[in-house]
């Protein structure tokens, strides 16, 4: 009887634990690693992603921030990602700034990075990346051209004999390399400004890019009325988050997937997030002058196009 009473008392005490205490017992992260509440700024969740690819993701430097907040990510991916971290109870997140995608993969390979927010699936990642399935976004690649010289195509073969430009940081070149005709010439440049200048000056006939990136940058450069964004999806590029296979935090992949993917279930809400990220990017650069470029065939000094409206709609989802 005494044993039974003791057992009942133990059960009652267990069920009477404060909600906070019960929640703490269920926290889906380690106590002193991966940015948990009992961790420290020296044991944060280390994250990285594209650093200059609006509206999806971009990075800011804050010289006055604390050690683990020296950099911060912003954009379409960053907000739900950080919300998922908060939902998991992770409070120490260190945003790492790498020169390019390959450098981030190298850090993941060496165990110096826990999660990549933007990962492709092109083969070289498999050795280091533990993908979170499914992909959280399908990024359709489209053909962008000048409004006064529209290029409307349904297949890569129709770009035969033309000259195109690609953004290095977008990472599109290895994904479409084998799809273009052999006589299609491609120039890869660094930065959206150089890519759009190359297109608008007539040095390139087209640019292959995400329609969302095209909208964000065309509005930023105030050339929205001067570009034509194709509606045909030429290539679907799936975006994933992935854990480094060397990360100690990898064991929490399932928990992270549940918390992160819930923000992408509703297509309407997803589009709202994308529009908000585009607007944020445009607002960040609102005081910049319009993009300067030499108009095709002109010998005069570079001219600035007429400023486009402050706002423009997010493109409708492309393809299937």
């Amino acid at each position: 009887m005494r044993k039974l009473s003791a057992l009942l008392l133990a059960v009652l005490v267990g069920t009477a634990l404060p909600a906070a205490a019960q929640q703490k017992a269920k926290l889906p992260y380690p106590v002193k690693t991966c940015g948990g509440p009992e961790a420290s700024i020296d044991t944060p969740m280390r994250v990285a992603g594209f650093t200059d690819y609006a509206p999806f993701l971009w990075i800011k430097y804050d010289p006055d921030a604390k050690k683990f907040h020296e950099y911060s990510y912003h954009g379409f991916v960053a907000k739900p990602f950080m919300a998922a971290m908060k939902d998991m109870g992770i409070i120490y997140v260190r945003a790492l700034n790498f020169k390019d995608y390959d450098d981030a993969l190298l850090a993941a390979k060496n165990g110096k990075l826990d999660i990549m927010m933007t990962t492709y699936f092109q083969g070289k990642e498999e050795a280091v990346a533990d993908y979170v399935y499914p992909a959280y976004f399908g990024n359709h690649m489209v053909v962008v051209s000048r409004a006064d010289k529209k290029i409307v195509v349904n297949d890569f073969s129709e770009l035969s004999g033309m000259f195109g430009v690609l953004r290095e940081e977008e990472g599109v070149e290895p994904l479409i390399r084998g799809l273009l005709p052999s006589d299609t010439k491609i120039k890869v440049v660094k930065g959206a400004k150089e890519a759009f200048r190359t297109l608008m000056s007539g040095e390139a006939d087209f640019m292959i890019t995400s329609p969302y990136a095209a909208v964000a940058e065309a509005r930023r450069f105030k050339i929205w009325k001067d570009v034509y964004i194709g509606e045909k999806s030429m290539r679907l590029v799936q975006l994933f988050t992935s854990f480094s296979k060397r990360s100690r935090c990898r064991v929490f992949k399932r928990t992270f997937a549940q918390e992160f993917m819930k923000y992408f279930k509703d297509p309407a809400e997803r589009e709202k997030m994308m529009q908000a990220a585009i607007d944020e990017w445009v607002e960040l650069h609102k005081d910049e002058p319009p993009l300067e470029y030499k108009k095709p065939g002109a010998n005069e000094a570079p001219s600035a196009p007429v400023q486009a409206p402050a706002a423009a709609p997010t493109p409708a989802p492309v393809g299937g």
Side-chain angles (χ1 to χ4, degrees):
M1 187 66 179
R2 288 181 179 178
K3 290 183 178 180
L4 181 59
S5 298
L7 180 60
L8 287 172
L9 179 61
V11 171
L12 288 172
V13 169
T15 57
L17 281 173
Q22 291 185 45
Q23 177 64 22
K24 185 175 181 179
K26 299 177 182 178
L27 289 178
Y29 50 80
V31 179
K32 295 184 179 179
T33 59
C34 299
E38 295 184 30
S40 71
I41 60 174
D42 296 315
T43 55
M45 182 75 81
R46 301 163 299 176
V47 307
F50 294 142
T51 58
D52 185 22
Y53 189 34
F56 294 95
L57 209 59
W58 66 88
I59 200 167
K60 286 184 180 180
Y61 173 66
D62 185 355
D64 299 319
K66 295 180 180 179
K67 181 178 179 181
F68 70 101
H69 273 159
E70 186 177 10
Y71 291 96
S72 60
Y73 280 98
H74 300 263
F76 172 72
V77 183
K79 288 188 177 180
F81 181 88
M82 292 306 297
M85 292 286 104
K86 183 178 180 180
D87 294 341
M88 290 175 68
I90 295 175
I91 59 177
Y92 295 106
V93 179
R94 178 174 295 157
L96 302 180
N97 184 17
F98 294 103
K99 181 180 70 174
D100 54 36
Y101 183 60
D102 286 339
D103 275 5
L105 288 178
L106 181 61
K109 179 181 179 179
N110 294 330
K112 297 179 179 180
L113 170 64
D114 297 307
I115 304 181
M116 287 187 67
M117 290 181 276
T118 44
T119 317
Y120 289 149
F121 193 90
Q122 53 190 28
K124 62 183 178 181
E125 298 90 350
E126 292 183 34
V128 300
D130 186 4
Y131 290 90
V132 174
Y133 290 100
Y136 61 86
F137 193 78
N139 194 16
H140 292 270
M141 296 292 115
V142 300
V143 174
V144 177
S145 54
R146 297 188 304 278
D148 62 353
K149 193 179 179 182
K150 292 182 181 180
I151 295 178
V152 182
V153 297
N154 292 303
D155 189 84
F156 278 116
S157 63
E158 297 174 65
L159 297 174
S160 176
M162 297 186 192
F163 197 112
V165 62
L166 303 175
R167 293 174 56 182
E168 178 184 299
E169 65 278 4
E170 191 166 15
V172 176
E173 193 270 338
L175 300 172
I176 65 171
R177 183 187 300 122
L179 303 177
L180 291 166
S182 58
D183 63 345
T184 302
K185 297 180 181 179
I186 290 293
K187 180 179 182 181
V188 181
V189 300
K190 189 172 182 63
K193 181 175 289 187
E194 186 59 30
F196 272 88
R197 183 178 286 128
T198 300
L199 175 68
M200 300 306 295
S201 66
E203 295 177 46
D205 300 302
F206 67 88
M207 173 166 55
I208 297 176
T209 185
S210 160
Y212 299 101
V215 169
E217 299 297 2
R219 287 181 55 192
R220 167 197 175 184
F221 296 134
K222 304 171 178 64
I223 56 171
W224 171 253
K225 290 184 177 180
D226 301 306
V227 299
Y228 171 72
I229 300 175
E231 298 179 359
K232 172 66 177 179
S233 175
M234 306 298 288
R235 174 74 156 84
L236 175 62
V237 180
Q238 301 284 11
L239 286 178
F240 298 85
T241 53
S242 66
F243 281 78
S244 162
K245 289 184 176 180
R246 294 285 302 275
S247 171
R248 61 195 173 192
C249 308
R250 182 185 173 193
V251 294
F252 303 101
K253 175 180 140 180
R254 179 175 296 181
T255 301
F256 169 77
Q258 292 172 346
E259 299 296 343
F260 181 64
M261 291 305 297
K262 70 185 181 185
Y263 291 101
F264 295 89
K265 289 181 178 179
D266 185 342
E269 287 301 316
R270 192 168 59 227
E271 288 301 313
K272 286 181 182 179
M273 289 195 303
M274 182 64 79
Q275 181 64 66
I278 292 174
D279 290 343
E280 182 182 353
W281 182 248
V282 174
E283 178 67 18
L284 186 65
H285 298 278
K286 67 178 181 180
D287 295 327
E288 291 183 359
L291 178 71
E292 291 188 347
Y293 60 90
K294 178 180 283 189
K295 292 183 179 180
N299 294 319
E300 66 272 11
S303 59
V306 176
Q307 182 168 331
T314 302
V318 182

